C-alpha cells in the first residue's frame, strides 16, 4: 500500500493553512489557557501536581489507584528516555495499547517533548498496521506483550522505526533484536530531570486515524489550541467532571472517542478514569458499585451488554449521575430499555475523528430526546445545507457543516482536504436534519442515503426496526445504485437455516413492519444472507464494503 515512509518534518504532510476550515475559539476557553505554553502535558498532569493535587488519582486499574504525582514522575522519566534517544518536537510516536495507566502516561510523555502520538488499534490486520506506521512516519512504536507475536513480524520490516518499546505488565519476555527497551525498565531507571517543550497554539500534537467507514483509515491532524479547547468545551457542557468524579467506558484509546475520553478530557478536569483491558460487563458492574463511578460513557453496545449482564441491578449503579453515548447510533429500543431499568436516560452525542471528540450532545441542557444526538455544544456551530446550497428547513435532510476549535485537517491527503471544507466549515460526509426544537438527527453518510422516486430515506431508521429481531443476529440495508432496489443484508441467529422460504418470510415481514412503524412507501425487495456484516470497531456498518461484495 505504501513503500516509502512519510518521515521528517510534519509540516511536509500537513496541508497549507489556507485549505483548513476556519477554527473558532470561545473567549471563556481562552481565559483558561491564558496564551501560555500550549504543551498538553502541563494541562493534563503538571498543573494538578503543581497546584497541590498530586495525591488525587488519575486512574483506577485492576483494583489499584494511580495518582497524578505518579503519572507526573513516570512521564518525565519516559520523556527523558525519548530525549536521550534523539526524539524531538514533531516526531511521531505510535502506540498500540489497551486502556491502561501505561497508555495514559505514555501520551503524557509524548506531549511533554512536543512529539505527536499516533494511536493504532491492535485489531487492525497486520498489513493495515504496517501501512499506518509507514504513512504516519512513526519513529517509535510501543505495544504490550499481549500483541507481541503479532507486532514483531511487522516491525522487522519497517527500517525507519528507531525505538520499539514493549510494556511487560508482569509478563516475562526475552529482549530480542527488534525490542530496544521495556517500558517498566525506563520508568524505574531513567532520569527525573523536569522538562516541558515549548508548544505553540498551532503546533501539531496528535494524529488520529479514522475507523475506515469509507475505505482505508484517514489520518487526522489536531493542533494544541484546538485540543485544549475541545477538552474545555466537552467537560464544561457535557460531563462537568471535577476531582471527585470517576468516569468509565469501553471505548479504546486507540480511536478518537476513547483517546478523548480517557487520555484527554478527564485528566484536563483532574478527574479519575476507571480503566480496564477487556470489557467484562459483570466485573465492571461490581467495580462501578465498589468505586462509586459517577459518569458512564460508551457506544450503544456498551449499554446493551451492561443490561444483559447476569448481575445487572440498578441499585449497583446508584452512584452514576450521568450516562452518555456516542460513536454509533443509539436506537430507541435501547434508550427506552435503559431508561425503564435505571430511571435515568442515556444522553446521546455526536463526534468524529476529524473533530477530535463531541460537537453536539443531549447532555448540554440535560434533555434527552429519543433518536437525536442533541444540540451543538457551545463553541461549535452546526449548519445544515440542502441540495440547493441553502440552509435546510426543519425536517429537511442536508449536509452537516461544522465550525469550532477542531475540524478536518488530513495528513498527506490533499484531495480529501479540498473536498472537506465548504465556505470555511468542515464537512466530512454526514447527512443530518434538525427538528422544530433545534435538535439534530443523524441520517447516514452521504453515499449511503436511500433515494426512492426522489424521496430520501435514512438506512438507520430502517435498521432500528429490526435490531432485536428474534431470527437475526445482525441487519443492514443498502441500495443498488443501478436498479434502485433496496436490499436487506441479514445474519441469521445461530441455528437458523438459510432458505428461500425464510427470505420470502423476512421480505414480507420487513415491509409490513416498515409500513406500520414508519409509514414508509419504501419496500425491501431482496434479502441477502451473510455470515457477518462488516463493521468498524465502533460498530458502524461499512455499507461500502457490502456494496462492493454485492457488486452494486
Amino acid at each position: 500500500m505504501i513503500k516509502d515512509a512519510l518521515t521528517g518534518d510534519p509540516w511536509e504532510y500537513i496541508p497549507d493553512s489556507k485549505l483548513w476550515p476556519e477554527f473558532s475559539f470561545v473567549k471563556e476557553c481562552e481565559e483558561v489557557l491564558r496564551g501560555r505554553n500550549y504543551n498538553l502535558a502541563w494541562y493534563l498532569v503538571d498543573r494538578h501536581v503543581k497546584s497541590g493535587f498530586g495525591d488525587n488519582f488519575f486512574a483506577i486499574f485492576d483494583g489499584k489507584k494511580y495518582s497524578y504525582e505518579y503519572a507526573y514522575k513516570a512521564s518525565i522519566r519516559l520523556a527523558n528516555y525519548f530525549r536521550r534517544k534523539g526524539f524531538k518536537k514533531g516526531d511521531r510516536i505510535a502506540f498500540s495499547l489497551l486502556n491502561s495507566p501505561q497508555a495514559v502516561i505514555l501520551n503524557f510523555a509524548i506531549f511533554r517533548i512536543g512529539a505527536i502520538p499516533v494511536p493504532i488499534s491492535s485489531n487492525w490486520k497486520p498489513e493495515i498496521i504496517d501501512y499506518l506506521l509507514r504513512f504516519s512516519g512513526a519513529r517509535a512504536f510501543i505495544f504490550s506483550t499481549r500483541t507481541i507475536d503479532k507486532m514483531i513480524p511487522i516491525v522487522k520490516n519497517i527500517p525507519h522505526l528507531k525505538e520499539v518499546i514493549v510494556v511487560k505488565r508482569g509478563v516475562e519476555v526475552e529482549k530480542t533484536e527488534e525490542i530496544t527497551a521495556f517500558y517498566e525498565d525506563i520508568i524505574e531507571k531513567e532520569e527525573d530531570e523536569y522538562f516541558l517543550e515549548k508548544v505553540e497554539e498551532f503546533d501539531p500534537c496528535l494524529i488520529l486515524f479514522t475507523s475506515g467507514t469509507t475505505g482505508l483509515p484517514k489520518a487526522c491532524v489536531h493542533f494544541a489550541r484546538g485540543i485544549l479547547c475541545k477538552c474545555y468545551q466537552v467537560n464544561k457542557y457535557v460531563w462537568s467532571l471535577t476531582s471527585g468524579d470517576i468516569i468509565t467506558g469501553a471505548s479504546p484509546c486507540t480511536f478518537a472517542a476513547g483517546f478523548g475520553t480517557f487520555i484527554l478530557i478527564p485528566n484536563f478536569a483532574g478527574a479519575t478514569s476507571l480503566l480496564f483491558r477487556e470489557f467484562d460487563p459483570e466485573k465492571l458492574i461490581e467495580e462501578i458499585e465498589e468505586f462509586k463511578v459517577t459518569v458512564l460513557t460508551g457506544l450503544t453496545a456498551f449499554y446493551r451488554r451492561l443490561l444483559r449482564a447476569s448481575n445487572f441491578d440498578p441499585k449497583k449503579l446508584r452512584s452514576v449521575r450521568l450516562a452518555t453515548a456516542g460513536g454509533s447510533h443509539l436506537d430507541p429500543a435501547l434508550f427506552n430499555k435503559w431508561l425503564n431499568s435505571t430511571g435515568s436516560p442515556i444522553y446521546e452525542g455526536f463526534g468524529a475523528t476529524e473533530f477530535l471528540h463531541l460537537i453536539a450532545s443531549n447532555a448540554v441542557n440535560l434533555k434527552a430526546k429519543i433518536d437525536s444526538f442533541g444540540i451543538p455544544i457551545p463553541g461549535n456551530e452546526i449548519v445544515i445545507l440542502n441540495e440547493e446550497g441553502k440552509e435546510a428547513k426543519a425536517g429537511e435532510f442536508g449536509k452537516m457543516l461544522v465550525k469550532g476549535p477542531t475540524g478536518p485537517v488530513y495528513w498527506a491527503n490533499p484531495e480529501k482536504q479540498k473536498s472537506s471544507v465548504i465556505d470555511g466549515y468542515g464537512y466530512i460526509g454526514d447527512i443530518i436534519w434538525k427538528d422544530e426544537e433545534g435538535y439534530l438527527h443523524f441520517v447516514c453518510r452521504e453515499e449511503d442515503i436511500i433515494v426512492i422516486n426522489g424521496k430520501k430515506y435514512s438506512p438507520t431508521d430502517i435498521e432500528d426496526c429490526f435490531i432485536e429481531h428474534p431470527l437475526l443476529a445482525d441487519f443492514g440495508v443498502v441500495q443498488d445504485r443501478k436498479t434502485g432496489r433496496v436490499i436487506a443484508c441479514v445474519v441469521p441467529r445461530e441455528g437458523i437455516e438459510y432458505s428461500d422460504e425464510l427470505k420470502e418470510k423476512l421480505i414480507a415481514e420487513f415491509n409490513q413492519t416498515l409500513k406500520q412503524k414508519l409509514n414508509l412507501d419504501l419496500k425491501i425487495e431482496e434479502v441477502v444472507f451473510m455470515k457477518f456484516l462488516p463493521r468498524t470497531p465502533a460498530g458502524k456498518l461499512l455499507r461500502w464494503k457490502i456494496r462492493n461484495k454485492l457488486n452494486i
Side-chain angles (χ1 to χ4, degrees), residues 2-17:
I2 181 173
K3 291 183 179 180
D4 298 324
L6 306 186
T7 56
D9 186 346
W11 289 103
E12 292 182 23
Y13 313 107
I14 296 172
D16 189 285
S17 60

Side-chain angles (χ1 to χ4, degrees), residues 301-369:
F302 172 74
Y303 291 100
R304 189 171 286 113
R305 291 183 65 187
L306 285 178
L307 285 166
R308 291 174 180 170
S310 60
N311 62 339
F312 179 79
D313 180 352
K315 293 180 182 178
K316 294 179 180 290
L317 309 182
R318 282 179 294 193
S319 61
V320 175
R321 62 171 176 81
L322 184 70
T324 65
S328 59
H329 177 58
L330 176 63
D331 63 274
L334 177 60
F335 177 95
N336 286 321
K337 191 171 183 179
W338 182 270
L339 178 62
N340 293 334
S341 298
T342 66
S344 300
I346 299 172
Y347 296 94
E348 184 177 1
F350 185 93
T353 308
E354 286 87 346
F355 301 113
L356 179 61
H357 209 263
L358 293 173
I359 56 172
S361 175
N362 279 280
V364 172
N365 59 2
L366 293 179
K367 179 183 177 183
K369 195 166 198 176

